[in-house]
Amino acid sequence: MTVAIFNDANVQSLGVNIFSGAASGVLGAAAGSPFFLVKTRLQSFSPFLPVGTQHGYKNTADGLGQIGRNEGIKGLYRGVGAAMVRTGFGSSVQLPTYFFAKRRLVRHLGMGEGPALHLASSAASGVVVCCVMHPPDTIMSRMYNQTGNLYSGVMDCVLKTIRTEGVLAIYKGFFAHLARILPHTILTLTLAEQTNKFMRQVED
């Protein structure tokens, strides 16, 4: 895309990074939503300490089959809007905040190119991603595991959650989410940098 717009593949454009990240996140979330739905329901099921709506699926294939038979295609894509917003938000800020943090650390702290810079920049990116992604993540989980048709859509779920539990309800489980996404973001971006460095050395 940078080649088409700037005629230079090495240009770092904030707008292009945000758009590309959001587009890939939205498309990925739409494609994977039925599997994320089944995963959420399988994780929530417990014959001993049931929490929320219980779905006794044997495995992923059984879950997809039961949802398809009982709820139809629409049931398989229950909560897809929230999933697309969630992943679109997270993907749209991950790379821009990484490169932003990287430039600031180089400029203001004098850090040089290397693992320490990559770790610090990716950690900053992971925190921002979690802050942006968590509210739609909460909404998505509630829509996936709702009883019947408690929520008519994303905004209905947001409003009912805030109205009954307060604004901070959409940030329930934030630190658990951060503990999951921070290592993931750090490893992904740091390994990507090291892989790019290795490939440049091979090409040279």
Side-chain angles (χ1 to χ4, degrees), residues 33-47 53-72 75-78 143-148:
S33 186
F35 301 100
F36 212 120
L37 169 65
V38 174
K39 178 196 78 74
T40 301
R41 291 183 174 184
L42 283 169
Q43 289 177 327
S44 301
F45 177 74
S46 172
T53 304
Q54 297 290 287
H55 303 275
Y57 306 144
K58 297 176 183 176
N59 49 47
T60 302
D62 179 55
L64 291 170
Q66 285 197 42
I67 294 170
R69 286 191 299 273
N70 300 328
E71 304 175 46
L76 285 169
Y77 282 91
R78 179 193 294 266
M143 292 191 70
Y144 278 170
N145 206 40
Q146 65 181 302
T147 302

Side-chain angles (χ1 to χ4, degrees), residues 131-147:
C131 290
V132 170
M133 183 185 279
H134 194 77
D137 189 69
T138 301
I139 299 305
M140 179 196 69
S141 296
R142 291 189 174 212
M143 292 191 70
Y144 278 170
N145 206 40
Q146 65 181 302
T147 302

